[in-house]
């Protein structure tokens, strides 16, 4: 996970033991007597056809299928009846991240931040050169259902009573859910059990 400040990338910090740290890493270790259940779901699903990352540098996809990454986004949106331009990209990108398919059938999600002057697209995390990707989509209900699904998956993988739960979430979900993030927390609590901290 990474620290963010609502994707402005001006000044970020990690918090631990009542202090804020810059240029540091916070590590949390669990020492459990019983197995720990893990559940991961995001609620995004494919929106566009597969494309190959034909040129990337770090967190920037320069080319997809030998065209500018933005052009592939624009054409994908147009095929679904959506006119997409650079000024409207930020709004579109909030609900259309890039998905990197995994062998399990799941997708690792990369949230777009901006379109650069050459048509490349910058993301929050690394875009592997040569990987296959899909433009994804998701709606509020899908994200909430995924939260409940992840909590249920973790609960079912844990024998006996739960001692507690740790939830990791992404700012991109908050940008979509807004104050509805409280509904997401409620869905976690319902799936795990009311008394589980």
């Amino acid at each position: 996970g990474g620290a963010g400040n609502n994707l402005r990338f001006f000044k970020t910090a990690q918090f631990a033991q009542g202090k804020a740290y810059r240029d540091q890493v916070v590590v949390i270790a669990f020492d459990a007597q019983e197995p720990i259940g893990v559940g991961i779901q995001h609620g995004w699903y494919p929106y566009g056809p597969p494309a190959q990352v034909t040129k990337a540098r770090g967190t920037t996809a320069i080319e997809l299928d030998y065209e500018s990454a933005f052009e592939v986004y624009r054409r994908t949106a147009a095929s679904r009846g959506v006119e997409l331009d650079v000024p409207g990209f930020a709004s579109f990108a909030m609900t259309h991240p890039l998905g990197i398919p995994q062998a399990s059938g799941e997708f690792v999600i990369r949230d777009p931040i901006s379109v650069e002057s050459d048509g490349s697209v910058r993301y929050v995390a690394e875009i592997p050169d040569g990987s296959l990707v899909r433009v994804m989509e998701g709606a509020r209900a899908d994200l909430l259902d995924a939260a409940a699904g992840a909590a249920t998956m973790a609960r079912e993988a844990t024998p006996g009573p739960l001692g507690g739960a740790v939830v990791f979430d992404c700012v991109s979900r908050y940008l979509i859910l807004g104050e509805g993030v409280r509904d997401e927390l409620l869905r976690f609590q319902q799936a795990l059990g009311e008394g589980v901290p």
Side-chain angles (χ1 to χ4, degrees):
N5 57 349
N6 291 335
L7 303 180
R8 289 180 295 222
F9 297 101
F10 173 69
K11 184 176 183 181
T12 62
Q14 296 77 38
F15 297 91
Q17 298 178 342
K19 295 181 182 177
Y21 297 91
R22 298 278 323 272
D23 300 321
Q24 303 288 317
V25 174
V26 175
V27 176
I28 302 170
F30 294 97
D31 183 10
Q33 300 291 323
E34 300 290 335
I36 295 175
V38 176
I40 302 172
Q41 291 190 10
H42 47 67
W44 303 105
Y45 48 89
Y47 173 86
Q52 184 174 16
V53 179
T54 48
K55 189 173 183 183
R57 187 182 317 106
T59 62
T60 301
I62 300 166
E63 292 180 357
L64 301 177
D65 288 340
Y66 301 101
E67 295 183 86
S68 77
F70 175 73
E71 178 56 27
V72 171
Y73 257 94
R74 191 202 60 72
R75 191 172 56 252
T76 299
S79 73
R80 301 284 297 267
V82 176
E83 292 299 319
L84 181 61
D85 57 12
V86 173
F89 181 75
S91 176
F92 180 83
M94 190 167 55
T95 56
H96 294 86
L98 204 63
I100 304 169
Q102 305 297 293
S104 65
E106 292 292 323
F107 289 82
V108 172
I109 300 300
R110 295 292 187 255
D111 289 310
I113 299 172
S114 63
V115 177
E116 306 301 312
S117 59
D118 62 355
S120 60
V121 177
R122 192 164 59 102
Y123 294 84
V124 171
E126 184 180 8
I127 303 296
D129 207 359
S131 60
L132 287 176
V133 294
R134 306 274 301 264
V135 175
M136 308 290 279
E137 71 178 336
R140 186 177 188 279
D142 301 315
L143 272 61
L144 292 174
D145 288 346
T152 299
M153 187 184 298
R155 178 66 192 103
E156 290 174 351
T158 308
L162 295 181
V166 177
V167 176
F168 295 89
D169 216 343
C170 181
V171 66
S172 64
R173 298 174 71 80
Y174 177 74
L175 293 174
I176 293 169
L177 296 174
E179 288 303 311
V181 76
R182 295 177 193 278
D183 296 333
E184 185 180 47
L185 294 173
L186 181 63
R187 298 288 292 271
F188 285 130
Q189 194 74 67
Q190 289 170 340
L192 294 171
E194 291 300 320
V196 175

